[in-house]
Short mmCIF file of all heavy atoms in Angstrom, two decimals:
data_model
loop_
_atom_site.label_atom_id
_atom_site.label_comp_id
_atom_site.label_asym_id
_atom_site.label_seq_id
_atom_site.Cartn_x
_atom_site.Cartn_y
_atom_site.Cartn_z
N LEU A 284 -61.98 -53.57 14.52
CA LEU A 284 -62.78 -54.02 13.37
C LEU A 284 -61.78 -54.35 12.30
O LEU A 284 -62.25 -54.77 11.11
CB LEU A 284 -63.48 -52.76 12.90
CG LEU A 284 -64.85 -52.46 13.78
CD1 LEU A 284 -65.60 -51.26 13.17
CD2 LEU A 284 -65.59 -53.76 13.95
N CYS A 290 -61.38 -60.12 7.04
CA CYS A 290 -62.21 -61.37 6.78
C CYS A 290 -63.13 -61.04 5.46
O CYS A 290 -63.59 -61.77 4.73
CB CYS A 290 -62.99 -61.83 7.96
SG CYS A 290 -61.93 -62.48 9.21
N PHE A 292 -62.88 -58.72 2.95
CA PHE A 292 -62.35 -58.29 1.74
C PHE A 292 -61.39 -59.36 1.22
O PHE A 292 -61.19 -59.54 0.03
CB PHE A 292 -61.76 -56.89 1.76
CG PHE A 292 -62.76 -55.98 1.90
CD1 PHE A 292 -62.98 -55.37 3.15
CD2 PHE A 292 -63.48 -55.46 0.83
CE1 PHE A 292 -63.97 -54.36 3.31
CE2 PHE A 292 -64.55 -54.53 0.99
CZ PHE A 292 -64.71 -53.89 2.22
N SER A 295 -60.15 -64.74 -1.18
CA SER A 295 -59.61 -65.75 -2.07
C SER A 295 -58.05 -65.88 -1.85
O SER A 295 -57.47 -64.98 -1.23
CB SER A 295 -59.87 -65.40 -3.57
OG SER A 295 -59.16 -64.24 -3.86
N SER A 326 -31.95 -38.48 22.96
CA SER A 326 -31.92 -39.05 24.34
C SER A 326 -33.26 -39.72 24.55
O SER A 326 -34.33 -39.17 24.20
CB SER A 326 -31.36 -38.09 25.27
OG SER A 326 -32.47 -36.99 25.34
N PRO A 331 -28.84 -38.58 27.68
CA PRO A 331 -28.19 -38.63 26.47
C PRO A 331 -27.36 -39.99 26.28
O PRO A 331 -27.06 -40.45 25.21
CB PRO A 331 -27.22 -37.47 26.33
CG PRO A 331 -27.04 -37.12 27.73
CD PRO A 331 -28.31 -37.47 28.51
N ILE A 358 -40.04 -58.53 8.86
CA ILE A 358 -39.17 -59.78 8.58
C ILE A 358 -40.12 -60.87 8.29
O ILE A 358 -39.92 -61.74 7.33
CB ILE A 358 -38.21 -60.03 9.69
CG1 ILE A 358 -37.20 -58.93 9.74
CG2 ILE A 358 -37.53 -61.44 9.48
CD1 ILE A 358 -36.14 -59.17 10.90
N ARG A 370 -35.92 -65.69 -8.72
CA ARG A 370 -34.64 -65.37 -7.98
C ARG A 370 -34.59 -63.94 -7.36
O ARG A 370 -34.19 -63.72 -6.29
CB ARG A 370 -33.31 -65.80 -8.82
CG ARG A 370 -32.08 -65.65 -8.03
CD ARG A 370 -31.94 -66.85 -7.13
NE ARG A 370 -31.87 -67.93 -7.71
CZ ARG A 370 -31.80 -69.27 -7.00
NH1 ARG A 370 -31.69 -69.23 -5.68
NH2 ARG A 370 -31.77 -70.33 -7.74
N SER A 383 -33.85 -55.04 7.97
CA SER A 383 -34.81 -55.06 9.05
C SER A 383 -34.00 -55.28 10.30
O SER A 383 -34.16 -54.82 11.44
CB SER A 383 -36.04 -55.90 8.92
OG SER A 383 -36.81 -55.40 7.83
N VAL A 492 -59.79 -53.31 36.60
CA VAL A 492 -59.92 -51.88 37.04
C VAL A 492 -60.44 -51.08 35.94
O VAL A 492 -60.71 -49.98 36.11
CB VAL A 492 -58.56 -51.39 37.59
CG1 VAL A 492 -58.06 -52.11 38.74
CG2 VAL A 492 -57.55 -51.30 36.45
N THR A 512 -46.82 -41.19 41.83
CA THR A 512 -46.32 -42.32 41.15
C THR A 512 -46.40 -41.84 39.59
O THR A 512 -47.24 -41.13 39.24
CB THR A 512 -47.19 -43.59 41.20
OG1 THR A 512 -48.57 -43.27 40.77
CG2 THR A 512 -47.06 -44.12 42.65
N THR A 520 -48.34 -57.13 28.03
CA THR A 520 -49.68 -57.11 27.43
C THR A 520 -50.68 -58.13 28.12
O THR A 520 -51.80 -57.78 28.43
CB THR A 520 -49.57 -57.51 25.91
OG1 THR A 520 -48.76 -56.60 25.28
CG2 THR A 520 -50.97 -57.58 25.25
N THR A 554 -49.37 -78.34 3.70
CA THR A 554 -49.00 -77.85 2.26
C THR A 554 -47.51 -77.75 2.10
O THR A 554 -47.23 -77.60 0.89
CB THR A 554 -49.58 -76.41 2.23
OG1 THR A 554 -49.04 -75.67 3.28
CG2 THR A 554 -51.13 -76.44 2.29
N ARG A 568 -46.83 -69.87 6.69
CA ARG A 568 -45.51 -69.65 7.60
C ARG A 568 -45.32 -68.24 8.03
O ARG A 568 -44.92 -68.05 9.08
CB ARG A 568 -44.35 -70.27 6.65
CG ARG A 568 -43.12 -70.23 7.68
CD ARG A 568 -41.94 -71.00 6.85
NE ARG A 568 -41.39 -70.08 5.88
CZ ARG A 568 -40.02 -70.23 5.52
NH1 ARG A 568 -39.33 -71.12 6.01
NH2 ARG A 568 -39.59 -69.35 4.54
N SER A 589 -53.81 -52.36 20.43
CA SER A 589 -53.29 -52.09 19.13
C SER A 589 -53.99 -52.91 18.13
O SER A 589 -54.73 -53.76 18.43
CB SER A 589 -51.77 -52.30 19.16
OG SER A 589 -51.59 -53.82 19.15
N ASP A 625 -58.11 -70.34 -12.42
CA ASP A 625 -57.72 -70.87 -11.10
C ASP A 625 -59.01 -70.67 -10.10
O ASP A 625 -59.23 -69.43 -9.90
CB ASP A 625 -56.52 -70.36 -10.52
CG ASP A 625 -56.09 -71.01 -9.19
OD1 ASP A 625 -56.76 -71.95 -8.74
OD2 ASP A 625 -54.97 -70.63 -8.82
N SER A 632 -67.87 -66.77 -3.15
CA SER A 632 -68.39 -66.74 -1.67
C SER A 632 -67.78 -67.82 -0.93
O SER A 632 -67.30 -68.85 -1.44
CB SER A 632 -69.75 -66.82 -1.77
OG SER A 632 -70.27 -68.00 -2.19
N ALA A 634 -69.36 -70.00 0.85
CA ALA A 634 -70.19 -71.23 0.58
C ALA A 634 -69.75 -71.94 -0.58
O ALA A 634 -69.64 -73.16 -0.78
CB ALA A 634 -71.64 -70.74 0.48
#
Side-chain angles (χ1 to χ4, degrees):
L284 289 183
C290 292
F292 291 102
S295 68
S326 62
I358 290 177
R370 183 71 62 181
S383 298
V492 297
T512 59
T520 299
T554 56
R568 186 173 76 155
S589 69
D625 190 353
S632 66

